[in-house]
Structures are given as C-alpha cells and as structure tokens.
Amino acid sequence: MTDERPEWLTIPAPERDELDRMQKILGSAQLHTVCEGADCPNIGECFAKKTCTFMILGDVCTRNCRFCAVPHGRPQPVNLEEADAVALTASQLGLRHVVITSVTRDDLPDGGAGQFVATIRTLHQMVPGSSVEVLIPDFQGSKESLMEVIEAGPDIINHNVETVPRLYSLARPQAHYERSLELIARVHQYGQGIITKSGLMLGLGETREELIKVMQDLHRYGCDVLTLGQYLQPSEQHLPVKEYISPQQFNELESIGKEMGFLEVNAGPLVRSSYNAAGTFAKICSSLKIER
C-alpha cells in the first residue's frame, strides 16, 4: 500500500461556478453523471467544457465492486422519462458526442438494456447528427440484451474489463473476465460499423506481464480502443492503491498498445473511460476516413 500521491496527480481545484452551473442543469433534469457518482478527478475540466457522461438507471448499483465510488444497494424503479431528459440536456449543452453509462442493474430482467436502447434512439431523434457512445455493464452475459443495444446503433460500445483476471475476486467479484471478453467479441462480430472500446485501472497490484496479456486478449477479441488510467482509492472502505504508475510508464504502455494494433490508445494517470471521448472519436473517424 502507498499513501502519498505523486505530484503528477495534483490537479487544480475546479471552478465552483462551473460546477454549480452544470449541477444546476443536470439537477433540473433529475439526471446523474458518473463524473459525480464515481468521483472523477477530471470533473472540473469536463464540466467547464460543458461535457459529462450521463449515468442512466439511477445512481445506486446492484454490485459492490471494491474500487468504485458509486453507492450500492437497492436501486429505485426505472425512470421512463430519463431518455427524453438525457436528449434534451444533451441538446441544451450542445453536445456533438454524447456518452451514456449506467449503474449495473442485475435486478432487471434485461439488465437495463432497454433503457440504453430508449436513450440511444431518443438521442438519434432529438439530437440528430450527434454521435453516441455507451459504456455498458455485462448484462450477466445475456446475448439478447447485448444484441438489443447493438441493434439500436450506437457509434461506440465500451465495456471495461477494469483489471487483470487474478484480481477479479478481490476487485469485482460479481464479474467474470471471460464474460467481459466475450461481450467485446460479440460487439465486434455483430455490430457492423460499431467501434469497440475497453479500459483498465492500474495500480491495484497487477504485474506488467499480466497487464500486457490483458491488452493482447482485448485486441485478439476485437477491441478497437483502449484506455489505461491510474486507480485512485475513493475511501478507506475501498481497495488501497498498491502502486502509482508514472507518466513515463503510461507513455510506454500507450506505445505498446498502438504497436499491437489498437485504433487508439489513451493512457495516462488521469485518463478515464470517457475522458476526451469526443476527441478520440474524431481521431478515429479521421484515421478511418469516416464522414460525420
């Protein structure tokens, strides 16, 4: 365990006015963001740019991953007006790339897939021309739920493997590494034109060899975009940080990932799954000559 954060993880405090303005907009629509729910260190930067990652299906998760700040417990009923609220707010913020994630809802028969579908389709209708990225749970391995999301036609489907297989029982005991890889493989197989994405947190005690193996697995299973960031302990009740990964190490891993053949690799201490998602999507469209 290591206690003192290195200087490269020191970031300026967010502007209170910027936070208040975004929180007022989101609050008036009764929407949640993973930026707030997961204590993202980039919240000040993103809110200042009027960008966020919407978190649908409430703000209480049915799983208890030991790295995550999102509260767990018994969720509220699904808000059937949530898709409209997301689309209206995305339009109000002028978003051209909308990122949607959710808590895990193992209590729902479809794992919440229907709410993702409704949100994607409503965005297509109400914010025409915008690209849509979804960061989805594993739907407990349900192919039917995943296919519903694929058929709704998002531009990017992201599903994070989070850490190396050896640490799953410690960090995310209700998940399965192979199930997550299979999800990515299915999107790659059935989601024609959909970009696949995944990410990991570093510093939980993984070895370099284990990390490289996961990167190889992801590429082999059809992952196009990879994000690597530093794990930061949300509270004393969460897993401790075992190691702080230096910016130089992240740069090396980014180079390794690009050499493996990923379309894009974003690696850095403060990188998160949706950090600069719009910029990443624009770079991919440019490199693949996709017109938006």
Side-chain angles (χ1 to χ4, degrees), residues 269-291:
L270 295 174
V271 167
R272 297 295 181 265
S273 298
S274 305
Y275 182 64
N276 195 29
T280 297
F281 182 64
K283 286 178 67 176
I284 292 170
C285 288
S286 177
S287 65
L288 297 179
K289 296 181 172 55
I290 300 172
E291 293 188 8

Side-chain angles (χ1 to χ4, degrees), residues 93-112:
L93 293 172
L95 299 180
R96 304 303 299 163
H97 185 77
V98 187
V99 186
I100 312 295
T101 189
S102 78
V103 291
T104 299
R105 292 295 300 264
D106 290 336
D107 60 311
L108 300 174
D110 68 349

Side-chain angles (χ1 to χ4, degrees), residues 28 58 80 84 96-97 99 129 139 155 159 186-187 231 285:
S28 65
L80 299 180
D84 285 340
R96 304 303 299 163
H97 185 77
V99 186
F139 301 129
D155 296 274
H159 175 71
R186 283 174 173 165
V187 177
Y231 167 67
C285 288

Side-chain angles (χ1 to χ4, degrees), residues 1-6 203 230 233 240-244:
M1 176 177 177
T2 182
D3 295 320
E4 187 174 348
R5 288 191 183 186
Q230 173 70 54
Q233 184 182 20
V241 176
K242 294 290 187 180
E243 180 185 5
Y244 288 114

